Amino acid sequence: MDAKPFAAGREADVFALGDDRVLRRYRNGTDVAREAEVMEYVGGLGFPVPRVYAAQGADLVMERLDGPTLAQAALTGELSIPDGVAILTDLLRRLHDLPPRGGGSAGSSADTIVHLDLHPENVLLTRRGPVVIDWCNAGDGVSDLDTALSALILAQVAIGSIEHPLVDGAGIMVDLFLELAPGDPVRLLDEAAVFRRRQLTMSPDEVAMIGAAVARVRDAALPRT
Ligand SMILES: Nc1ncnc2c1ncn2[C@@H]1O[C@H](COP(=O)(O)OP(=O)(O)O)[C@@H](O)[C@H]1O
Ligand SMILES: [Mg+2]
């Protein structure tokens, strides 16, 4: 294993294991078993995820993907903003077409599998097409909550609450996303904000501005018929 990670997100370090595999390790020791199960489940149904080779403790060994993140490609101009949004909304639509794994509490309202962090940094553009990574929040859930979270995250970037070089493109992304997204992106927006506030990786400033991001989404949302 290379001593230095070749990529690092907010929660994990990613190490190359040769050309074909990576090791993703949670810095806080989170167990990856459930995440790996969800990845294997959606992958088995044809949804684009990295193939999982091993999951133990905080370590996930998976297929190494080639290609930039959707965010990087949008920044360099390799991908237009409308094409980027079309990819995001298409991935959400395909994910929400999958049945839930089941086994939840009786009367659970889960209608599908949700990712709950599907944004331009968690999509890699590979030779085999866009592939979704970072499944730490994923599981059975309500599709509209997932869509609301993606809209909210884009809005956090658009209003400058999450610092990101895509800040200029993110405003157009929010507006287009709300037009193209599957389901109803505002029905569960308040629940999405509650979920987002609870995320440990959010800074106090980011948490303080979630209300403004919610307002940004609501203002832009077209009335749905
Ligand atoms: N399977 C993979 N193949 C290649 N690069 C990956 C893979 N998984 C993650 N990465 C890289 O690591 C970064 C962080 O991974 P991610 O799973 O999003 O962790 P975090 O929860 O820390 O955001 C990604 O942006 C990407 O550059
Ligand atoms: Mg990530």
Side-chain angles (χ1 to χ4, degrees):
M1 183 176 82
D2 294 344
K4 247 180 71 186
F6 83 90
R10 285 189 170 199
E11 291 165 279
D13 294 315
V14 180
F15 303 89
L17 298 178
D19 291 340
D20 304 335
R21 298 182 183 205
V22 294
L23 165 66
R24 180 181 189 273
R25 174 172 288 163
Y26 280 116
R27 284 190 285 275
N28 67 1
T30 303
D31 191 276
V32 297
R34 212 179 45 97
E35 174 174 355
E37 275 173 29
V38 177
M39 290 173 77
E40 281 168 345
Y41 173 76
V42 300
L45 294 173
F47 191 82
V49 278
R51 193 165 158 203
V52 174
Y53 296 111
Q56 194 172 35
D59 288 2
L60 185 67
V61 178
M62 62 183 145
E63 173 189 355
R64 181 174 180 169
L65 303 167
D66 59 310
T69 63
L70 196 156
Q72 282 161 353
L75 268 174
T76 59
E78 197 179 324
L79 183 74
S80 72
I81 297 282
D83 286 351
V85 174
I87 289 172
L88 268 187
T89 53
D90 184 55
L91 286 167
L92 274 175
R93 185 171 288 107
R94 285 164 66 190
L95 184 62
H96 297 168
D97 277 346
L98 305 181
R101 290 167 71 211
S105 53
S108 146
S109 57
D111 58 355
T112 187
I113 299 286
V114 290
H115 183 280
L116 303 183
D117 202 22
L118 212 161
H119 58 69
E121 290 286 2
N122 283 336
V123 177
L124 295 184
L125 303 180
T126 77
R127 270 186 295 257
R128 67 169 157 110
V131 177
V132 178
I133 60 170
D134 207 354
W135 291 78
C136 58
N137 297 335
D140 286 4
V142 181
S143 49
D144 283 347
L145 180 67
D146 205 11
T147 309
L149 264 161
S150 291
L152 187 57
I153 295 166
L154 291 174
Q156 286 184 282
V157 175
I159 66 169
S161 148
I162 293 181
E163 267 185 58
H164 193 283
L166 255 184
V167 56
D168 292 335
I172 308 164
M173 278 191 156
V174 175
D175 298 341
L176 264 180
F177 181 90
L178 291 169
E179 265 177 51
L180 298 178
D184 185 340
V186 294
R187 185 173 72 88
L188 297 178
L189 191 55
D190 291 334
E191 287 81 349
V194 168
F195 180 87
R196 202 69 188 138
R197 271 192 200 102
R198 287 203 194 116
Q199 295 207 295
L200 298 174
T201 51
M202 302 283 284
S203 72
D205 285 352
E206 285 167 357
V207 170
M209 283 178 77
I210 285 182
V214 166
R216 173 67 180 82
V217 173
R218 241 187 253 294
D219 286 352
L222 302 170
R224 298 226 157 193
T225 47

